[in-house]
Amino acid sequence: MKFYKIIFLLSSLLWSLGYNNGDTLILNPITWDTPSPEGWNAQYKTSIQFPDSNLTWHKIYMIQTLKCDSSTKGDEYPCGEWDYIWNTIIETESEGFIDTFSIGSFVTPYGKWLELGSENEWSWTYDITDYAPILKGNVQIITGNNQELLDLKFLFISGKPERKTLSVVNLYSYGEYKYEALSDDQVLKAKNILLNPDASGYKIKSVISGHGHAGPKNCCEWDSKTHTYYLNGWRLFRWNVWKDCGNNPIYPQGGTWPFDRAGWCPGTKVDEYEFELTEHVIPGDSILFDYGIEPYQKNGEKEGHFRMSHQLFSYGKPNFKYDAEISDIIVPSSKEKYSRINPSLDNPIITIKNTGQYDLKSLEVHYGLKNKRKSVYRWKGNLSFLEKENITLPTPLWNSINKNRIFEVKIKKPNFNTDENPINNHLTSEILLPKILPREFFINLKTNDNSRARENSLFIKDKNGEIYLFESNFSDNKDYRFKVNLKKGNYTFLFRDNLEDGISHHWWYKNSAPNKVGINGKLDFISKNGETLHSFKSDFGEVLLLNFIIGNIP
């Protein structure tokens, strides 16, 4: 049964994205009550009535939330045991021709021992504004699978976008391809493309993930390969598809989740690569476009495979001359994707973006607790159209934070001019409070074995970067106890593992190589009286980070 929610009110979803202005349309075609699909790795399939074509949208978001639940049909686990890839596919029809577009690619987390957020739920947000031309009328949608329950929402925020998308086409439709076929140019061959003559800008979007365990490096899941776009026979863009998994915010999981992979990690979106084509082409021209991949070695790796899509977006001119966007608040934040570095009351970190035609060279940033006096930071730099930058701000006054836990950022005066698009000038985030610890406590560390203790180091630093404790060169299977004595202030504890496999035992070797399993390590903060102040998860991947306070919350 189709289920829609159409809401023209501010909601918790909007608040989490930071938008406090403008009408918003929310469509909710798949909910917790939608039956889990039947069959192996079966997907949800439904139709959805997107809004009418003559409306304009400042932003369009797709928010997928997964939930561990015993009613799922994938296997006997509340969250599916294995990591499976799935795409969100939109089917459109025009003049009797059906075309399919991938608007998001995702890999599920390993389900055994999975901790999927405080409510056993986790959300991922996709900015799909560029797909506006195909998000119209009644379309078919295929998404998700039966590993976890899925709630899927589309948010349409009214207003002008940074530039209007005139069209989106598949350069090469989403598909699965053998490495051999890609390298030997049996598929994804060169093709002539007629550029939209009404457009002023163009962008290519590539989404690639490697899979399989072929050859000595287990291609193509565990092997980085170089990919190339060619324009009229000349190399134009070249990039490697590789993703760091050791700091995945969803942890621990029940598999080899911390190890880097080709474009994806268990429990993450597949990486998206975007290339601005505008300066290399002339509107209305016919171009010869081609995709290429580095040649395979004669070691069996050619049997590996990739899943990929390649799309071309055509745009009108920038809608604003002077427009800056506050895109995100990284610190302080309650967003799940930033849970590795929060809670924190240290320097706020935000992301700004130039969404105006002219280069952005200056900007005022007003920030602090909501409804309180704001600190002002005057940023200077040079961002061209659509470029982003993370800014670390001086620490504001946190007075009365126990009663007011909303952090607010407003940006003003791009290049000393009035911002022409105020809807994207304001963001808020929820502040989570760091743990309070006594001035004196102990760090208890139990190292694991198999020569893995030497991978580890730990240190404590204050907000200015001064180091108060540093330890490394640990021995295997040994108990360590370090005394900590600090004055009042804000501190950060870090524990690193150079090989990104934490200090848990390698249980996956149980059958193939039992001698490599080893033992579990353990890491705790202990009070003078023997009370456990904080216990860390041993299966953490690359880095454990804990921000804490000695003294009182401001």
Side-chain angles (χ1 to χ4, degrees), residues 160-195:
K160 284 186 178 181
E162 54 210 22
R163 55 179 176 175
K164 181 180 179 180
T165 309
L166 303 181
S167 61
V168 51
V169 297
N170 286 314
L171 293 169
Y172 305 106
S173 296
Y174 174 75
E176 184 173 358
Y177 306 95
K178 280 187 65 175
Y179 184 17
E180 178 183 24
L182 290 167
S183 181
D184 289 348
D185 204 27
Q186 299 170 15
V187 293
L188 275 58
K189 298 182 179 181
K191 61 195 305 185
N192 287 303
I193 304 293
L194 181 63
L195 296 175

Side-chain angles (χ1 to χ4, degrees), residues 165-394:
T165 309
L166 303 181
S167 61
V168 51
V169 297
N170 286 314
L171 293 169
Y172 305 106
S173 296
Y174 174 75
E176 184 173 358
Y177 306 95
K178 280 187 65 175
Y179 184 17
E180 178 183 24
L182 290 167
S183 181
D184 289 348
D185 204 27
Q186 299 170 15
V187 293
L188 275 58
K189 298 182 179 181
K191 61 195 305 185
N192 287 303
I193 304 293
L194 181 63
L195 296 175
N196 187 328
D198 299 322
S200 298
Y202 307 89
K203 182 180 74 178
I204 303 171
K205 180 177 179 180
S206 168
V207 182
I208 300 175
S209 59
H211 305 272
H213 299 83
K217 294 184 179 180
N218 291 312
C219 188
C220 295
E221 177 176 342
W222 306 96
D223 196 2
S224 173
K225 298 298 180 184
T226 301
H227 304 255
T228 307
Y229 283 145
Y230 298 90
L231 177 65
N232 297 327
W234 295 90
R235 186 180 80 191
L236 185 60
F237 301 116
R238 175 164 285 179
W239 71 103
N240 279 15
V241 172
W242 196 242
K243 188 174 181 68
D244 178 14
C245 297
N247 290 306
N248 190 335
I250 300 180
Y251 77 100
Q253 297 183 35
T256 54
W257 65 269
F259 301 121
D260 302 348
R261 289 168 166 85
W264 62 277
C265 305
T268 69
K269 297 188 293 184
V270 177
D271 283 347
E272 300 176 351
Y273 297 85
E274 297 184 344
F275 305 94
E276 192 70 18
L277 188 61
T278 305
E279 64 182 32
H280 304 286
V281 297
I282 299 173
D285 268 7
S286 177
I287 62 172
L288 180 65
F289 182 84
D290 196 12
Y291 160 85
I293 190 171
E294 69 176 81
Y296 55 81
Q297 302 296 315
K298 294 181 179 180
N299 56 13
E301 67 177 8
K302 67 181 183 179
E303 300 302 320
H305 56 278
F306 292 90
R307 295 178 181 236
M308 59 178 66
S309 67
H310 306 270
Q311 298 166 336
L312 173 66
F313 299 86
S314 302
Y315 303 94
K317 294 180 180 179
N319 280 323
F320 311 99
K321 294 177 180 174
Y322 298 103
D323 181 31
E325 175 185 278
I326 167 70
S327 302
D328 206 355
I329 298 174
I330 299 171
V331 175
S333 176
S334 62
K335 286 184 179 179
E336 295 159 324
K337 67 178 180 178
Y338 299 134
S339 58
R340 285 272 194 168
I341 56 176
N342 282 287
S344 175
L345 293 182
D346 289 340
N347 301 76
I349 303 173
I350 65 171
T351 304
I352 63 168
K353 180 181 180 181
N354 180 20
T355 44
Q357 177 182 349
Y358 298 141
D359 289 355
L360 182 65
K361 297 184 178 181
S362 64
L363 190 68
E364 283 189 7
V365 181
H366 298 245
Y367 63 99
L369 295 178
K370 188 174 183 179
N371 299 324
K372 296 289 185 180
R373 184 177 178 179
K374 299 296 189 290
S375 299
V376 180
Y377 179 80
R378 290 174 173 82
W379 172 86
K380 292 183 179 180
N382 194 346
L383 297 180
S384 59
F385 181 53
L386 303 180
E387 278 193 317
K388 292 183 177 182
E389 182 176 313
N390 287 346
I391 301 175
T392 300
L393 301 169

Side-chain angles (χ1 to χ4, degrees), residues 101-103 128-135 165 168 205 311 313:
F101 294 88
S102 173
I103 63 172
I128 57 171
T129 312
D130 284 342
Y131 293 98
I134 63 172
L135 302 178
T165 309
V168 51
K205 180 177 179 180
Q311 298 166 336
F313 299 86

Side-chain angles (χ1 to χ4, degrees), residues 4 13 23 28 32-33 136 158 171 178 192 256 268 352 383 398 415 426 460 500 517 528:
Y4 300 105
L13 284 172
D23 289 335
N28 195 182
W32 302 137
D33 296 324
K136 298 175 180 179
S158 64
L171 293 169
K178 280 187 65 175
N192 287 303
T256 54
T268 69
I352 63 168
L383 297 180
W398 297 119
N415 294 352
H426 179 218
I460 293 175
E500 302 188 14
V517 172
K528 290 191 299 182

